[in-house]
Amino acid sequence: VRFSKMTIHQSAWRDGIPGKLTNIREIHVWRTSLELSTLQNKSLLDILSKDEVHRARRFHFKKDHDRFITARGTLRRILGSYLGERPEKIHFKYSSQGKPMLVGNADLDTLYFNLSHSNALAIYAITLNKNIGIDIEHIKDDIATEQVAQKFFSHNEMNSLNKVPEKKRKRVFYQYWTRKEAFLKATGKGISFPMDQFDVSLINGMDLSPIKFPQENKRHPHLCVQDIDPSENYVAAIAVEGNDKDISFWNYIH
C-alpha cells in the first residue's frame, strides 16, 4: 500500500512511536500495510493465540489468511508496546458481537481499542477508558451502492446521497457506511442495531460530531464520529465518547 500524506486536524500521518497515553483526551490512530513477506507474516503468526490461528485457517484464500494474521499480529505488537507486555502474552475476551477487549489489564487506566481492515490496509484506534470504534473500507467498483443504501441508510441519508453528483456518490456512500460501522462498533451493538434508525449525513467529517436519531428528534448523548482519510481509494471513520479529543495519526512500519 502506498500511503498518501493527508493532513487531518493539522496532524499528518507520522512514522515513529508515540509516547504512552497519559490522559483520556488522547487517541492514537495507527495504520499499517497488510502486504508483508512470507517471513514477516510467519513471525506474526507465531505470536497469535490458538483461537486466532484457527480463525485464520478458516479463510479460503491464502491472501485473506495472511492478511488476517498480519492484522491481528500487528494489533498484539501495538498493544504490547503500550502495556509493556510480550505480544503473545496478551489475552482477549469478546463481546456478544465479537468485539475484542483486553483481559487482565493491570494498569489503573484501562486501554480501550478497536481495529478494522479492508483489502491491503489495517487501521487501529487506542485510547484510555473510553468506548471507541473504527472502520475502514476499500472503495470498490463492483458494489451495488444504491441497493445497499436503500436497505441500510436512513431517509435523510438517502436524500443527502442522491443530491451528490454521481461521480462523487460512491465515495460519499462509503463515508456514510464507515461512520455507521464505527458508531456501531463503539456501542458494542454491532449489526444488531438497525442501521437505518440513525443519521450520519449531517456530520462535519473533519470534526467529532454527534450522531442524530431522526425518529426520536435527538442526538446520541455520548458518541461522536469523525472521518479519517487513511490512503488513496480508502475511507475510514472513528467513533468515540465525547468530542474533546486529541487525535494523532501514526504509521506502523514492519
Side-chain angles (χ1 to χ4, degrees), residues 180-199:
K180 284 176 169 288
E181 285 284 352
F183 172 76
L184 293 175
K185 292 172 75 175
T187 65
K189 295 179 180 178
I191 59 174
S192 64
F193 192 97
M195 293 184 75
D196 62 348
Q197 297 302 303
F198 59 97
D199 180 10

Side-chain angles (χ1 to χ4, degrees), residues 1-3 30-38 40-42 44 59 62-75 78 115-124 136-138 231 234 252-254:
V1 175
R2 185 177 180 181
F3 292 143
W30 292 86
R31 66 179 178 178
T32 193
S33 172
L34 299 180
E35 297 180 331
L36 300 187
S37 68
T38 300
Q40 288 173 312
N41 190 261
K42 174 63 167 60
L44 291 171
F59 286 97
K62 185 179 185 301
K63 177 178 66 176
D64 297 327
H65 166 273
D66 291 348
R67 286 175 175 174
F68 175 83
I69 290 170
T70 301
R72 292 304 291 248
T74 303
L75 172 66
I78 290 174
L115 74 153
S116 179
H117 53 95
S118 180
N119 196 40
L121 197 61
I123 194 167
Y124 308 83
I136 185 172
E137 298 291 343
H138 180 242
S231 194
Y234 289 84
Y252 187 90
I253 308 298
H254 293 277

Side-chain angles (χ1 to χ4, degrees), residues 209-223:
S209 306
I211 295 286
K212 186 175 181 181
F213 290 81
Q215 293 184 353
E216 302 173 21
N217 195 27
K218 67 178 184 180
R219 296 179 174 183
H220 193 279
H222 305 299
L223 289 171

Side-chain angles (χ1 to χ4, degrees), residues 24 108-112 127-131 241:
I24 60 174
L108 292 176
D109 291 314
T110 301
L111 280 180
Y112 280 65
T127 192
L128 294 175
N129 301 332
K130 292 289 184 183
N131 288 319
E241 294 181 74

Side-chain angles (χ1 to χ4, degrees), residues 130-144:
K130 292 289 184 183
N131 288 319
I132 196 165
I134 198 165
D135 189 63
I136 185 172
E137 298 291 343
H138 180 242
I139 298 175
K140 302 175 183 177
D141 293 328
D142 59 349
I143 296 296

